[in-house]
Amino acid sequence: MEDGKLTVRAVERALDIMLCFTGASELTLTEIASRAQLHKSTVHRLLASLEGKGFIMRDGSTDKYRLGYRLWELSANLSKEGDPGIILLPEMERLRDQLGETISLYVQDGLVRVRVQAVQSNHAIRRVAPVGARMPLYVGASSKVLVAFAEPALQEQLLASADWPTGLDQTAFLQQLSDTRRAGFATSVEEREPGAAAVSAPVLDRGGRLVAALAVSGPANRLTLELMQEQAPLIVEAARRMGTMLR
Amino acid sequence: MEDGKLTVRAVERALDIMLCFTGASELTLTEIASRAQLHKSTVHRLLASLEGKGFIMRDGSTDKYRLGYRLWELSANLSKEGDPGIILLPEMERLRDQLGETISLYVQDGLVRVRVQAVQSNHAIRRVAPVGARMPLYVGASSKVLVAFAEPALQEQLLASADWPTGLDQTAFLQQLSDTRRAGFATSVEEREPGAAAVSAPVLDRGGRLVAALAVSGPANRLTLELMQEQAPLIVEAARRMGTMLR
DNA sequence: AACTGTGTTTCATATAGTGAAACTTTTTTT
DNA sequence: AAAAAAAGTTTCACTATATGAAACACAGTT
């Protein structure tokens, strides 16, 4: 073909089908066909293969397709001691106790970020509600970290996206990315949410690949820019330590 | 071919390659080829496809292949609020507080089970070490649950396995599976570990599919058979509630 | 330098995946 | 209830496409 890659089309299509489920919990065959730009019968065959190995399953009542638990089983292989979301929790709790603010962990997914783990500043009860929340990659400290340390292709994709907010300056954004790479962390004050501020540092695996962004967030009147600059080394260090826990 | 399934061979092979990583964190191309019974060049092409989509990555220093973080991202789609290992934690903590014993969550993976989450009876510090531990599917309360409620194919595979322990009666094992299905839970006393006992109940998703086994374990002198029978309904109910939290 | 072990690329071959269309089942509309 | 529309599934001829042998590169050993 035209691209120089030595690759298997059927496999890429099957993986694309799984990627269709980012943001959508269940899809019908025709929805998948339309999203992945494939013919119904092709999708049907690929789904049968995915389902047979447990990567896709069907909802008993709605008969729609959804991701299978095999993915969870395999993701337990990503860190030394099992599920990364679990293994990174103690370090996040330690940081929360140290700084007294809410700690979040984000991963990039397409052109959004997903909060995969969080511990609240409130010491009493763990608020699990916001885990799973999806936010744009355009604004916020963690977005800057996730884009700045990602592969360059993501930046281009993001800037070229049709969803880029009108009135958001791309040159300034690029400058912020460059600042983030140099400093090793990013801050944001009332970018995504009025009255909120955050500091964020990258969690890199042993190969130096970006895995997630660790963020400390709180009310802007408490988390001043000065305080965040001061606390940044602690957050960078915690993120570094979390990286070493991954395989 | 001989089986009636309409499926795509290349895709099944690619998925098999990912499944090679259960128990092994990193593998070389030739190791994968040998495990999956495929030719080097086939594996190479399939790996290139998997790597391109982030399902496989290469370790920077050793150059070996390992699973990619895309799997973790996708597994966040499996429960309503993100990573299942995280979302199920509060319910496990509640049960621990109620019964005062260690609570574990196991998923089946090939012919072993993996502890994907645990909360210790010790209230002070969460002991994260045993998460990720792998145990045989032949013995223990959770093994019985995982096999009893799995698809019948697993039972056959397990009984036919070359690793079946000599001196372990298959008829008795099948009887225990049948008892487990009828009762809705399983117990074990000093089966896997001397001096230890456990009760286990299945976590089923809304479609009734087995996802995991929830287990309460402790010293056999405290967890008598009578006490476990008495506590079983609580564990069954907690496992049921956990199932409803999954998508 | 010869050697075993990796990972990678090339290339002829026919297998194996493809998509149009036919067919069945389910859901919606009349 | 009947008709129509949509979703899911299977069949099948075709050739595009994945395959594996072999050859190539590129380490690390001896």
Side-chain angles (χ1 to χ4, degrees), chain A residues 102-122:
Chain A
T102 297
I103 313 293
S104 305
L105 190 68
Y106 296 94
V107 298
Q108 174 246 327
D109 188 4
L111 294 184
V112 301
R113 56 180 157 121
V114 188
R115 182 188 271 152
V116 291
Q117 181 63 293
V119 296
Q120 300 298 125
S121 59
N122 174 3

Side-chain angles (χ1 to χ4, degrees), chain B residues 9 39 41-42:
Chain B
R9 192 183 60 166
H39 285 248
S41 83
T42 302

Side-chain angles (χ1 to χ4, degrees), chain A residues 49-123:
Chain A
S49 311
L50 290 163
E51 193 181 356
K53 300 282 179 188
F55 287 80
I56 288 278
M57 61 187 188
R58 310 186 67 165
D59 189 87
S61 48
T62 65
D63 236 44
K64 287 186 173 183
Y65 292 90
R66 40 178 64 251
L67 294 173
Y69 290 103
R70 184 58 39 91
L71 290 165
W72 181 27
E73 292 170 28
L74 286 178
S75 75
N77 243 272
L78 292 173
S79 69
K80 291 186 186 118
E81 300 292 354
D83 191 329
I86 297 163
I87 198 70
L88 300 178
L89 190 56
E91 184 66 25
M92 292 174 67
E93 287 174 337
R94 200 196 52 74
L95 191 63
R96 185 263 317 271
D97 295 341
Q98 193 176 6
L99 302 178
E101 298 289 355
T102 297
I103 313 293
S104 305
L105 190 68
Y106 296 94
V107 298
Q108 174 246 327
D109 188 4
L111 294 184
V112 301
R113 56 180 157 121
V114 188
R115 182 188 271 152
V116 291
Q117 181 63 293
V119 296
Q120 300 298 125
S121 59
N122 174 3
H123 278 238

Side-chain angles (χ1 to χ4, degrees), chain B residues 72 131-132 227 245:
Chain B
W72 182 27
V131 171
L227 183 61
M245 293 174 183

